[in-house]
Amino acid sequence: MEKVQNIDEYLSAFPAEVQNVMQQLRSHLLKLVPQAKEKIGYGIPTLTLNGNLIHFAAYKNHIGLYPGSKAIVFFENELQAYQTSKGTVQFPLNEPLPMPLIEKIVAFCVEQNLTKKKR
């Protein structure tokens, strides 16, 4: 994928059904954290609040959510149904996004970011 300037440009590169899921996730994240700012970070959509808050990305078969390693460890039991790695969880595109779980992860990330010292 070529370097994109903003989230809308990033999303436009995907099929309509993926765009819809990503827009739902984006809208939901912004409702959860209305004070967050949007940017492209590491080539993918990113929300910032006192630093990078959470990244999300679309792939062929899943949506990647990047809350960081602390969140993955903290929610380890609730994430057992999903593929995870050090700081990432993959939500299959053929299943609805688990919004209640995503809400808890985002709240955790907000708390982490607001308690860290401003750089």
Side-chain angles (χ1 to χ4, degrees):
M1 181 175 249
E2 292 182 30
K3 189 170 184 173
V4 295
Q5 302 301 311
N6 59 56
I7 294 175
D8 291 325
E9 190 177 327
Y10 174 90
L11 295 178
S12 71
F14 292 92
E17 59 273 7
V18 175
Q19 288 182 42
N20 289 338
V21 173
M22 288 289 286
Q23 283 289 15
Q24 289 172 1
L25 177 59
R26 178 188 188 188
S27 295
H28 199 73
L29 294 173
L30 289 170
K31 284 179 188 169
L32 293 172
V33 192
Q35 68 273 37
K37 304 290 185 218
E38 294 182 299
K39 73 173 191 175
I40 294 293
Y42 302 105
I44 59 176
T46 302
L47 294 185
T48 65
L49 179 67
N50 194 23
N52 287 336
L53 179 67
I54 199 156
H55 306 276
F56 55 105
Y59 298 93
K60 184 177 180 180
N61 297 312
H62 70 276
I63 299 295
L65 189 70
Y66 303 86
S69 58
K70 289 180 183 177
I72 298 299
V73 170
F74 189 84
F75 292 101
E76 180 178 19
N77 290 337
E78 294 175 74
L79 292 171
Q80 287 183 6
Y82 305 100
Q83 180 81 26
T84 61
S85 64
K86 184 177 179 184
T88 309
V89 59
Q90 296 178 4
F91 299 116
L93 276 171
N94 62 353
E95 297 175 14
L97 289 174
M99 289 302 190
L101 176 57
I102 291 171
E103 289 172 11
K104 290 196 285 189
I105 292 170
V106 170
F108 176 88
C109 292
V110 167
E111 184 178 325
Q112 294 288 308
N113 274 30
L114 292 179
T115 58
K116 72 182 181 181
K117 289 185 179 182
K118 285 197 172 194
R119 296 178 188 175

